[in-house]
Amino acid sequence: MRSPTIKDVAERSQVSLKTVSRVINNEATVREGTRNKVLRVIAELGYQPDLSARSLRSARSFALGLVYDNPNPYYVIAVQNGVLSVCRERGYGLQIHPCNSSSPNLADELVMLVRQARLAGLVLAPPMSERMPLIEHLTRNNIRFVRIISAAEDPKDGYPCVFVDDRDAAYDITKHLIQLGHQRIGFLWGGESHRSSPERYRGYESALKDYGIAIDRKLIIPGDYSFDDGFRGARKLLALKDRPTAIFGSNDEIAAGVLAAAKSSGLEVPYDLSIAGFEDSPFSKQSWPTLTTAKQATEEIARHATQLLISELDRDEDDVEKHTVVSNKGFSPQLVIRGSTGPVRPA
């Protein structure tokens, strides 16, 4: 039995081949009733669009690449899910490309990836998305891309992006700890190659200054976005003669390491030590106690980035009137108070 074709779908739906194609491409010009009728027929026939044939017919690629270098598996999975969901809705394939962001050959590697895999464009996750020499190299080679970056506002630099206000969210977390009575608040950095790390530190620093609390450099520990660095950093802080009463980890993985260090030191959370993370990863809800954190809509951020990239590609094809035009957009993580933070225990 032969596989159903786009012509079969058009005949049973009593519409043109072009209309079926527009439904498959999720174009906004198709009336809702027609769209639903065609989608119903596609489901009844079990029709599967051939992306490679579609690309050859149109001389346009219908595959995207997702490029990332991040040690946090929760973040990576959420980004992949967000990008993939839009690709499925719009009929695009997705190639996932983990890479070494410190490689001196990264720019040429990404250009070769796009050309060899015939990708329409790239979704760039941090920290690659925040490296201007890389961005400029991709632009010179006519590579389409969208960036996910950490920024308090739209940089308006001419390059499409989705930006996340890490600084303001970190300020809110620190303010929450201060309002609980904490003044000695440790801070564990994430990877310095990620712009989110200094942005989260600036939020922490600003809150301390606004509340008149002196910044103690012994309470600030460098590291990476990982459980192990959270554990090691917390052990250093807890060994201080005048240890902190609260520790802010730059992400939930770091905070999980702090939680393990506290328990291994015989400290009860939050009575002996308050702990806060960032991102609202699945672990933050599964730990005991559950973690106070900043809820970052990572999957929705990745969805919007992918929609923005496809909108840019549609513009390249002179199809602006047939597609929804998507613009740069900002996201603000929101404070989520859970069981890992509490008032300072009286001396």
Side-chain angles (χ1 to χ4, degrees):
M1 185 176 177
R2 71 180 181 84
S3 299
T5 66
I6 191 172
K7 185 177 179 182
D8 296 329
V9 175
E11 288 176 353
R12 183 176 293 195
S13 304
Q14 296 182 319
V15 297
S16 67
L17 291 172
K18 183 64 175 176
T19 297
V20 176
S21 178
R22 285 176 175 168
V23 170
I24 293 169
N25 294 338
N26 201 30
E27 295 184 10
T29 53
V30 183
R31 285 181 294 191
E32 193 65 23
T34 303
R35 182 188 306 278
N36 291 338
K37 179 171 65 174
V38 172
L39 289 174
R40 188 167 58 251
V41 170
I42 287 174
E44 290 171 356
L45 294 177
Y47 172 67
Q48 295 287 335
D50 185 340
L51 294 180
S52 60
R54 176 182 167 202
S55 295
L56 289 171
R57 286 193 302 271
S58 65
R60 175 180 175 181
S61 172
F62 288 91
L64 304 179
L66 168 60
V67 181
Y68 67 86
D69 179 12
N70 192 309
N72 181 356
Y74 295 115
Y75 177 83
V76 171
I77 290 169
V79 170
Q80 288 180 5
N81 288 341
V83 175
L84 187 58
S85 66
V86 175
C87 286
R88 285 172 172 163
E89 290 169 7
R90 296 299 305 270
Y92 277 75
L94 177 64
Q95 181 162 331
I96 296 170
H97 186 75
C99 64
N100 178 4
S101 61
S102 62
S103 168
N105 302 316
L106 179 60
D108 290 331
E109 175 188 330
L110 294 185
V111 171
M112 186 174 297
L113 168 72
V114 170
R115 291 176 177 166
Q116 289 185 344
R118 200 166 177 266
L119 302 178
L122 300 174
V123 178
L124 299 176
M128 285 74 64
S129 57
E130 298 162 340
R131 305 250 174 100
M132 289 313 296
L134 172 63
I135 298 305
E136 290 164 357
H137 184 85
L138 294 177
T139 301
R140 284 194 299 271
N141 283 273
N142 298 313
I143 306 298
R144 304 298 297 187
F145 58 83
V146 66
R147 303 171 296 157
I148 300 173
I149 66 173
S150 176
E153 58 186 19
D154 189 343
K156 297 180 180 177
D157 53 11
Y159 301 112
C161 72
V162 174
F163 55 99
V164 182
D165 189 354
D166 291 285
R167 188 188 310 180
D168 196 50
Y171 183 100
D172 287 344
I173 289 173
T174 310
K175 181 175 74 172
H176 164 67
L177 294 171
I178 294 169
Q179 290 176 343
L180 287 171
H182 298 281
Q183 294 207 8
R184 290 190 61 73
I185 303 171
F187 182 86
L188 300 183
W189 274 68
E192 290 188 356
S193 63
H194 293 254
R195 190 188 294 173
S196 58
S197 293
E199 286 293 301
R200 292 172 191 180
Y201 174 74
R202 289 186 189 108
Y204 159 83
E205 186 180 57
S206 295
L208 293 181
K209 288 180 177 178
D210 286 352
Y211 280 84
I213 299 173
I215 294 170
D216 185 344
R217 296 294 168 188
K218 293 193 296 295
L219 297 180
I220 300 164
I221 306 292
D224 203 351
Y225 282 126
S226 70
F227 176 95
D228 288 346
D229 276 31
F231 185 87
R232 283 191 291 264
R235 295 283 286 186
K236 290 179 183 177
L237 291 175
L238 297 177
L240 294 174
K241 184 176 181 180
D242 189 10
R243 70 167 178 83
T245 60
I247 297 177
F248 176 10
S250 288
N251 76 346
D252 293 335
E253 286 280 289
I254 293 173
V258 177
L259 186 59
K263 290 182 176 179
S264 71
S265 300
L267 298 177
E268 195 172 350
V269 177
Y271 306 107
D272 299 318
L273 179 71
S274 283
I275 301 171
F278 201 108
E279 290 175 9
D280 195 35
S281 68
F283 173 84
S284 68
K285 309 176 193 69
Q286 298 160 359
S287 66
W288 185 257
T290 53
L291 282 173
T292 291
T293 186
K295 183 177 179 60
Q296 180 171 283
T298 304
E299 195 165 321
E300 184 57 34
I301 290 165
R303 276 187 58 84
H304 190 86
T306 312
Q307 290 166 343
L308 176 55
L309 175 57
I310 293 175
S311 175
E312 293 288 317
L313 296 170
D314 291 341
R315 183 180 286 111
D316 289 348
E317 294 293 315
D318 297 323
D319 262 349
V320 176
E321 293 181 359
K322 297 178 182 177
H323 295 82
T324 302
V325 177
V326 182
S327 303
N328 288 3
K329 183 177 180 179
F331 288 81
S332 298
Q334 301 299 307
L335 175 65
V336 179
I337 301 172
R338 296 197 180 107
S340 66
T341 54
V344 176
R345 176 178 280 186

